Amino acid sequence: MHIDRYEGQAGIKGIFLANRKIDDQIKTFITYNKGRDWRLLQAPDTDLRGDPVLCQLPFCSLHLRLQLSENPYTSGSISSKETAPGLLVATGNIGSELSYTDVGVFISSDGGNSWRQIFEEEYNVWFLDWGGALVAMKHTSVPIRHMWLSFDEGRSWTKYSFTSTPLFVDGSLVDPGIETQIMTVFGHFSLRSEWQLVKVDYKSLFGRRCSKDDYQTWHLHNQGEPCVMGERKIYKKRKPGAQCSLGRDYSQTVVSEPCVCGQGDFECDYGYERHSNNQCIPAFWFSPSSLSKDCNIGQNYWNSTGYRRIVSNNCTDGLRDKYMAKMEKCPGKAPRGLHILTSDGKLVMEQGHNATFVILMEEGDLQRTNIQLDFGDGIAVSYANFSPVEDGIRHVYRSAGIFQVTAYAENSLGSDTAVLFLHVVCPVEHVHLSVPFVAIRNKDVNITAVVWPSQAGTLTYFWWFGNSTKPLITLESSISYMFTVEGMNTVTVQVAGGNTLIQDSKEIAVHEYFQSQLLSFSPNLDYHNPDIPEWRQDIGKVIKRALVTGIPDEQILVAVFPGLPTSAELFILPHKNTTERRKSSEADLEQVVEILFNALNQNLVQFELKPGVEVVVYVTQLTLAPLVDSSSSHSSSAMLMLLSVVFVGLAVFLIYKFKRKIPWINIYAQVQHDKEQEMIGSVSQSENAPKITLSEFTDPEELMDKELDTRVMGERQPSAEFCFTTWVRMLVFWVSGEAMTLIPGTSRALRH
């Protein structure tokens, strides 16, 4: 991993220095081929005193700080100049890793191949006169008044005083352009003094202009190898020790000629990795055949050999032909790796909006492969090749649902298929939670969420009950739930469809037992019923206040039903502070019921809807009138019943008429009641109105017993009149029971 990187020599391509972390140690490396090969820096052979430096690669090497200065008035930890080829100055240390102790300043005159130490402490070093001279100033927090000047690339230094009074140096600046022999130093004499500017002019030290004899040639190399980045380069620079001025007309002369391409001029191509045998082989994640996936039959493509020439490398011939990519004919391939996806990557789309599908293929002839796309809604499109589908295929779904989108690619060599399941949703606008007003504890309750619009596509329902922190999640709009705690329980449903999330909440009164009664109203209420939830809630509160006082408010609940004619249900709940046993509590509840029903039967419950409009509340009556039902199922049942009576009567008459004997008849009847229910007879609004009760009808078992007794005692065939009468009475009893079931009536049953 590279920590810091520096382009090793300004003006020379391919040379880089980098600090890399290896085994938790930071080491400095150099490359001469733009990162293909790296090596450690060779430490100087001797120190400043001439003593040998014991440092053996790879256990010990030279390490440099590669941070450039953020302060323009300091030189930074490393610097070079394009007009001084091969010259590098840097701060660093010798050892097994980069350290911030035992720091010194090092210089290289040959582009980083070899290094010399020039200072044992940290110094700022600047280039003068286009790099022909070096100026060094100690980097310290104490005041100084001396600087050092070198004309021989740091091999010797001359000490100069730039001020008579020591100066706290804050920075210095070498003037740009032709006046590069002038340096400005600024600082202050004491912590309280003002800034001082000191301009140092070195022109007198250079003496004369440089002549032809003051220059020498320098060959760029990499540890003796003259070819760097495929070229031999020769630079002209001033001889070390020549105290002459370059001047404004100085131009750096470079002689360059290309080298024959060798293995070091090539790096691994994309998708290939270099192994220990110095060969490039495909990485585990790369398939070389993918290079021709966009290639069509009859065309050519460049097939990589695994190598490529390093960028900016100018070598020629040699291994170039061997390692360069080869132009080959595009192979014919069957479609493979077909993929279909949406342009935005989402699998949910709103109804009526554009859905854009993108088809991709890993291998195959794009120009000779037929494409067919089936949108899953009965519409499909076909294309002769991939050219028309490069920008995607657009389609608008007119209905909500889950659609299987299928892409099919085929050419003369084979075919491939891809499938995508797209959820098309219609934005959910409203949800209504349908729950019973009162529920029995520990018994299942059916709860339904009604969503509009009803054809909204795939929806997810989140059900929250009471104080639960985790919802029940379903794809169905109904759920069955059992409440275990008495009192008011909150039910919340959240409906998610596409990017929409809406919710509705309701409260359910949960009790161990309760009683209820259906209510009806005088017809004038229907004329003023707008059939909206807010109106129904307000009317329920008005009815509740109109009931007989003296009953605790929390024991009464009135729920007005939607629709016309206006109707409601009255719930009588047990007292919330009931502590006696249930039987006694039920008796108390019966007493409350009797009070309310007496008031309702006597037309004592009424309220004023608005001035001049009085509404009377009635108990919905139970009647034994002939069954009248508009539904087809009940009409069919009534017709079958009448036909059965006719056929039975006809059969009895024929048996009696022709005196055909029947050996024996075994009659067995059993009546089983699913629930014990206390039926309350209807109470008419008028005391003089006749009342009909079920006790007026003979029990079917009693009819059976009488018939069997008659057969045993008389041992004779019963008369046709007797049989006919028995069947008719049994059928009437059954009809009356069905009528009471089908016609809304009094429901004063104690609910368990």
Side-chain angles (χ1 to χ4, degrees):
M1 180 178 65
H2 288 187
I3 304 299
D4 299 300
R5 190 180 69 174
Y6 177 76
E7 188 170 359
Q9 172 63 61
I12 301 179
K13 297 182 297 184
I15 302 179
F16 289 90
L17 290 161
N19 285 334
R20 302 173 63 184
K21 190 173 185 180
I22 300 176
D23 298 331
D24 293 331
Q25 290 184 327
I26 298 177
K27 300 176 181 289
T28 302
F29 292 80
I30 190 170
T31 178
Y32 288 85
N33 51 15
K34 219 168 187 177
R36 178 190 183 276
D37 302 298
W38 294 87
R39 71 167 186 265
L40 294 168
L41 296 180
Q42 178 67 55
D45 295 331
T46 60
D47 57 16
L48 285 177
R49 290 174 292 276
D51 298 329
V53 176
L54 301 178
C55 184
Q56 177 119 17
L57 293 173
F59 309 104
C60 175
S61 61
L62 175 64
H63 307 284
L64 305 176
R65 299 183 192 174
L66 303 180
Q67 294 90 2
L68 296 175
S69 175
E70 296 180 357
N71 185 351
Y73 305 111
T74 59
S75 64
S77 59
I78 185 170
S79 61
S80 64
K81 198 172 186 64
E82 186 176 352
T83 55
L87 202 61
L88 283 167
V89 181
T91 303
N93 66 284
I94 299 173
S96 59
E97 63 177 329
L98 181 64
S99 172
Y100 289 89
T101 59
D102 298 329
V103 175
V105 180
F106 301 84
I107 190 170
S108 174
S109 300
D110 55 3
N113 284 278
S114 61
W115 295 83
R116 293 175 284 108
Q117 187 172 3
I118 55 177
F119 294 108
E120 289 184 337
E121 296 179 276
E122 190 171 354
Y123 277 72
N124 288 315
V125 180
W126 292 271
F127 293 87
L128 287 179
D129 190 37
W130 308 101
L134 300 176
V135 176
M137 188 179 298
K138 189 174 183 180
H139 184 76
T140 179
S141 59
V142 300
I144 57 175
R145 61 189 183 94
H146 295 98
M147 59 175 57
W148 285 258
L149 183 66
S150 174
F151 288 93
D152 55 1
E153 298 180 346
R155 290 177 176 84
S156 61
W157 296 86
T158 303
K159 184 177 181 181
Y160 292 91
S161 176
F162 64 93
T163 178
S164 58
T165 305
L167 181 72
F168 289 94
V169 177
D170 295 317
S172 60
L173 181 66
V174 176
D175 293 347
I178 61 174
E179 300 295 332
T180 54
Q181 298 169 350
I182 298 177
M183 183 177 181
T184 303
V185 181
F186 57 91
H188 49 276
F189 293 120
S190 66
L191 297 177
R192 297 182 180 179
S193 67
E194 296 180 351
W195 272 21
Q196 304 294 323
L197 294 178
V198 179
K199 181 169 285 191
V200 182
D201 191 346
Y202 297 95
K203 290 181 182 180
S204 59
L205 298 178
F206 289 92
R208 60 183 177 84
R209 296 287 298 273
C210 292
S211 64
K212 183 178 179 180
D213 296 334
D214 294 320
Y215 294 100
Q216 68 176 9
T217 58
W218 175 72
H219 296 259
L220 174 66
H221 66 92
N222 175 14
Q223 289 187 330
E225 170 59 46
C227 289
V228 176
M229 293 295 290
E231 292 180 298
R232 290 185 180 91
K233 292 185 177 181
I234 302 175
Y235 295 88
K236 184 185 77 170
K237 65 178 183 178
R238 185 169 38 188
K239 291 180 181 179
Q243 289 187 239
C244 61
S245 172
L246 294 176
R248 69 179 67 185
D249 56 349
Y250 169 74
S251 62
Q252 182 183 16
T253 303
V254 177
V255 178
S256 174
E257 62 179 12
C259 297
V260 176
C261 292
Q263 194 165 1
D265 297 311
F266 294 86
E267 61 183 350
C268 291
D269 202 353
Y270 172 79
Y272 291 81
E273 295 177 343
R274 188 178 301 278
H275 282 246
S276 57
N277 57 2
N278 209 27
Q279 291 185 350
C280 297
I281 63 174
F284 71 94
W285 50 267
F286 180 71
S287 174
S289 61
S290 64
L291 297 175
S292 61
K293 69 177 183 178
D294 296 329
C295 188
N296 302 314
I297 297 177
Q299 297 179 344
N300 298 323
Y301 77 102
W302 291 101
N303 187 18
S304 175
T305 60
Y307 300 85
R308 66 184 178 191
R309 192 169 59 172
I310 298 172
V311 178
S312 300
N313 190 294
N314 295 321
C315 71
T316 59
D317 302 329
L319 296 177
R320 179 178 179 181
D321 293 338
K322 177 181 178 180
Y323 286 148
M324 292 296 289
K326 305 296 188 297
M327 182 175 290
E328 297 182 2
K329 294 287 185 181
C330 296
K333 292 184 179 181
R336 189 184 70 83
L338 190 67
H339 301 281
I340 179 173
L341 60 154
T342 58
S343 58
D344 57 2
K346 298 179 180 179
L347 298 178
V348 179
M349 184 64 59
E350 286 191 10
Q351 176 185 336
H353 286 65
N354 263 325
T356 303
F357 298 97
V358 179
I359 301 177
L360 303 175
M361 187 169 61
E362 296 179 3
E363 291 185 4
D365 187 358
L366 300 180
Q367 296 301 321
R368 289 175 172 82
T369 299
N370 298 325
I371 299 297
Q372 181 177 348
L373 184 61
D374 187 347
F375 298 108
D377 59 350
I379 301 177
V381 293
S382 297
Y383 300 93
N385 52 56
F386 264 78
S387 297
V389 303
E390 292 179 351
D391 296 331
I393 304 173
R394 293 179 177 84
H395 182 66
V396 177
Y397 287 90
R398 301 301 179 185
S399 60
I402 303 177
F403 297 91
Q404 177 178 322
V405 184
T406 305
Y408 180 76
E410 181 183 22
N411 61 19
S412 59
L413 299 176
S415 61
D416 197 8
T417 304
V419 175
L420 177 145
F421 292 93
L422 183 69
H423 293 245
V424 179
V425 297
C426 180
V428 182
E429 298 183 13
H430 181 71
V431 60
H432 171 73
L433 188 59
S434 177
V435 299
F437 298 100
V438 185
I440 299 295
R441 187 172 70 90
N442 293 330
K443 285 197 175 182
D444 287 335
V445 177
N446 291 326
I447 301 172
T448 303
V450 182
V451 177
W452 189 88
S454 58
Q455 302 297 327
T458 304
L459 301 176
T460 305
Y461 297 84
F462 301 87
W463 305 90
W464 307 80
F465 296 94
N467 296 324
S468 60
T469 57
K470 294 183 178 180
L472 300 176
I473 304 175
T474 68
L475 296 177
E476 300 294 333
S477 60
S478 298
I479 191 172
S480 181
Y481 187 77
M482 181 185 297
F483 294 93
T484 59
V485 179
E486 288 192 77
M488 298 304 295
N489 286 261
T490 302
V491 180
T492 301
V493 63
Q494 292 180 330
V495 183
N499 297 324
T500 306
L501 181 66
I502 59 177
Q503 76 173 33
D504 189 19
S505 297
K506 293 290 172 56
E507 286 190 341
I508 301 178
V510 179
H511 293 278
E512 191 75 25
Y513 55 91
F514 65 90
Q515 289 196 14
S516 67
Q517 170 62 51
L518 296 177
L519 303 178
S520 57
F521 306 91
S522 54
N524 57 349
L525 182 60
D526 294 339
Y527 294 104
H528 304 280
N529 185 353
D531 198 19
I532 59 176
E534 294 78 7
W535 184 86
R536 292 192 292 270
Q537 292 177 3
D538 293 339
I539 291 298
K541 296 177 182 178
V542 171
I543 298 171
K544 188 174 180 180
R545 289 196 299 267
L547 293 172
V548 179
T549 59
I551 301 173
D553 186 71
E554 65 271 7
Q555 284 190 257
I556 299 175
L557 177 63
V558 178
V560 180
F561 299 126
L564 295 174
T566 309
S567 60
E569 187 169 5
L570 170 64
F571 295 94
I572 302 93
L573 310 176
H575 197 278
K576 64 179 181 180
N577 295 325
T578 301
T579 57
E580 302 179 27
R581 56 191 180 88
R582 174 170 173 170
K583 186 174 181 181
S584 175
S585 300
E586 292 177 1
D588 295 341
L589 194 63
E590 284 290 342
Q591 185 177 0
V592 174
V593 171
E594 291 297 333
I595 296 173
L596 292 176
F597 284 4
N598 288 335
L600 290 168
N601 291 332
Q602 296 176 22
N603 299 340
L604 297 179
V605 180
Q606 55 186 348
F607 59 90
E608 186 180 37
L609 185 64
K610 64 179 183 177
V613 180
E614 291 288 338
V615 179
V616 181
V617 184
Y618 305 106
V619 173
T620 301
Q621 300 300 316
L622 173 65
T623 176
L624 292 180
L627 179 62
V628 178
D629 198 320
S630 61
S631 64
S632 59
S633 59
H634 293 159
S635 298
S636 300
S637 300
M639 183 60 69
L640 290 175
M641 177 190 68
L642 294 175
L643 290 175
S644 300
V645 172
V646 173
F647 281 117
V648 170
L650 182 59
V652 173
F653 175 78
L654 291 175
I655 292 173
Y656 175 76
K657 183 68 176 176
F658 297 99
K659 299 182 179 179
R660 296 182 179 180
K661 297 183 178 179
I662 300 176
W664 54 275
I665 299 175
N666 182 19
I667 299 176
Y668 177 78
Q670 179 180 1
V671 179
Q672 180 179 3
H673 297 281
D674 293 332
K675 297 181 180 179
E676 293 183 3
Q677 187 175 11
E678 177 188 357
M679 302 301 298
I680 305 301
S682 62
V683 181
S684 175
Q685 298 181 21
S686 175
E687 294 296 335
N688 298 325
K691 298 181 181 180
I692 304 175
T693 62
L694 296 178
S695 60
E696 296 180 7
F697 293 94
T698 306
D699 189 282
E701 294 185 7
E702 184 179 351
L703 293 175
M704 302 295 180
D705 294 337
K706 288 182 179 180
E707 182 181 0
L708 292 174
D709 291 342
T710 304
R711 290 182 57 193
V712 172
M713 294 176 60
E715 295 182 352
R716 61 183 178 86
Q717 184 177 359
S719 66
E721 291 85 354
F722 176 80
C723 292
F724 182 79
T725 303
T726 302
W727 281 101
V728 170
R729 297 183 68 184
M730 291 178 65
L731 287 171
V732 170
F733 182 86
W734 175 79
V735 171
S736 64
E738 288 294 310
M740 287 185 293
T741 303
L742 297 174
I743 298 177
T746 304
S747 176
R748 275 192 58 198
L750 183 64
R751 304 191 183 186
H752 301 274

